[in-house]
Amino acid sequence: MKDLYDDIDHVLIDEATLQKRIQELAATITADYDGIEDLMLLAVLKGSYMFLADLSRSLRRPHAVDFMGVSSYGGGTKSSGAVRIMMDLKEPIEGRNVVIVEDIIDSGHTLSYLRRTLLARNPRSLRICSLLSKPVRREVEVPMDYIGFDIPDEFVVGYGLDFDELYRNLPFIAVLKPEVFAHLYQ
Ligand code: IMP
Ligand code: MG
């Protein structure tokens, strides 16, 4: 079997840079939630699992964690705009202070849909934290409270983000070699 790293064209955000920025985000959120009770991190599966693990460990406020599974992509690299809830939260969010934890905001369709859906459940507050953002790709505006990095219009993998369910386990954010995508266009 080939080595995982053979498919990488280049590293966009290395491990140290990622970790340093996540510490900064955690410090900001910790400060913002001073005196606020009942904080809940709502992680959007699957892409945000690694980000959630590091962010959650660095937060100095007591918080619950819950998960939601949504799907907006098939096996490809372009969003269809159609979002579906594949797995819902275990707990109600009414009256709670919720921070959505996402891996990346691209077109904005996923977070726009999630935000509307969750606001209808009457949380006390709802904020959004995304590790990555591709500003030039935005089709719908979504109010973002915390963003780790703005990145260019390139398909990225690693640190939870996948291509065709693979490469999530890379500890950095990377761009794949063009030939890895080749089978999509045949
Ligand atoms: P949006 O609905 O277009 O904003 O897309 C959001 C979702 O698409 C993210 O939660 C990711 O799962 C996926 N996505 C968008 N861009 C990328 C990328 O560059 N790499 C991997 N997944 C991506
Ligand atoms: Mg995602």
Side-chain angles (χ1 to χ4, degrees), residues 2-186:
K2 70 182 171 190
D3 190 280
L4 177 69
Y5 284 40
D6 289 345
D7 289 341
I8 297 171
D9 189 81
H10 60 277
V11 174
L12 191 65
I13 307 172
D14 65 39
E15 210 173 340
T17 308
L18 268 181
Q19 293 302 329
K20 180 169 174 285
R21 183 69 185 124
I22 293 165
Q23 296 306 311
E24 290 172 3
L25 287 173
T28 305
I29 297 172
T30 295
D32 288 356
Y33 285 80
D34 185 13
I36 295 174
E37 299 300 318
D38 214 10
L39 175 59
M40 185 182 131
L41 299 187
L42 189 173
V44 185
L45 293 173
K46 304 175 189 166
S48 67
Y49 76 97
M50 240 182 239
F51 179 39
L52 173 79
D54 285 334
L55 185 71
S56 172
R57 265 181 294 191
S58 300
L59 269 190
R60 295 291 293 262
R61 302 288 170 207
H63 61 275
V65 172
D66 205 348
F67 299 92
M68 204 158 175
V70 299
S71 169
S72 53
Y73 286 30
T77 63
K78 291 261 154 43
S79 176
S80 60
V83 183
R84 279 188 304 160
I85 294 182
M86 311 300 284
M87 187 190 90
D88 208 339
L89 299 168
K90 287 273 187 298
E91 301 292 332
I93 58 166
E94 181 161 0
R96 310 188 69 180
N97 297 293
V98 177
V99 177
I100 300 176
V101 178
E102 247 295 32
D103 52 357
I104 187 166
I105 176 166
D106 186 35
S107 69
H109 287 294
T110 305
L111 277 172
S112 171
Y113 171 84
L114 260 187
R115 189 171 172 275
R116 264 181 288 122
T117 305
L118 294 170
L119 281 175
R121 299 181 188 183
N122 299 313
R124 179 179 296 272
S125 66
L126 182 66
R127 289 189 174 179
I128 303 179
C129 176
S130 181
L131 179 67
L132 306 174
S133 171
K134 292 183 192 167
V136 300
R137 301 256 309 169
R138 208 73 89 249
E139 290 170 18
V140 282
E141 275 314 312
V142 185
M144 301 295 291
D145 301 282
Y146 309 104
I147 287 181
F149 302 88
D150 282 336
I151 62 167
D153 182 9
E154 276 184 296
F155 193 82
V156 294
V157 296
Y159 200 70
L161 292 109
D162 73 304
F163 169 62
D164 237 354
E165 292 300 328
L166 301 177
Y167 310 103
R168 295 190 196 274
N169 59 317
L170 294 169
F172 44 72
I173 301 290
V175 175
L176 294 171
K177 290 176 179 164
E179 56 263 34
V180 179
F181 303 104
H183 70 272
L184 286 181
Y185 306 110
Q186 278 166 12

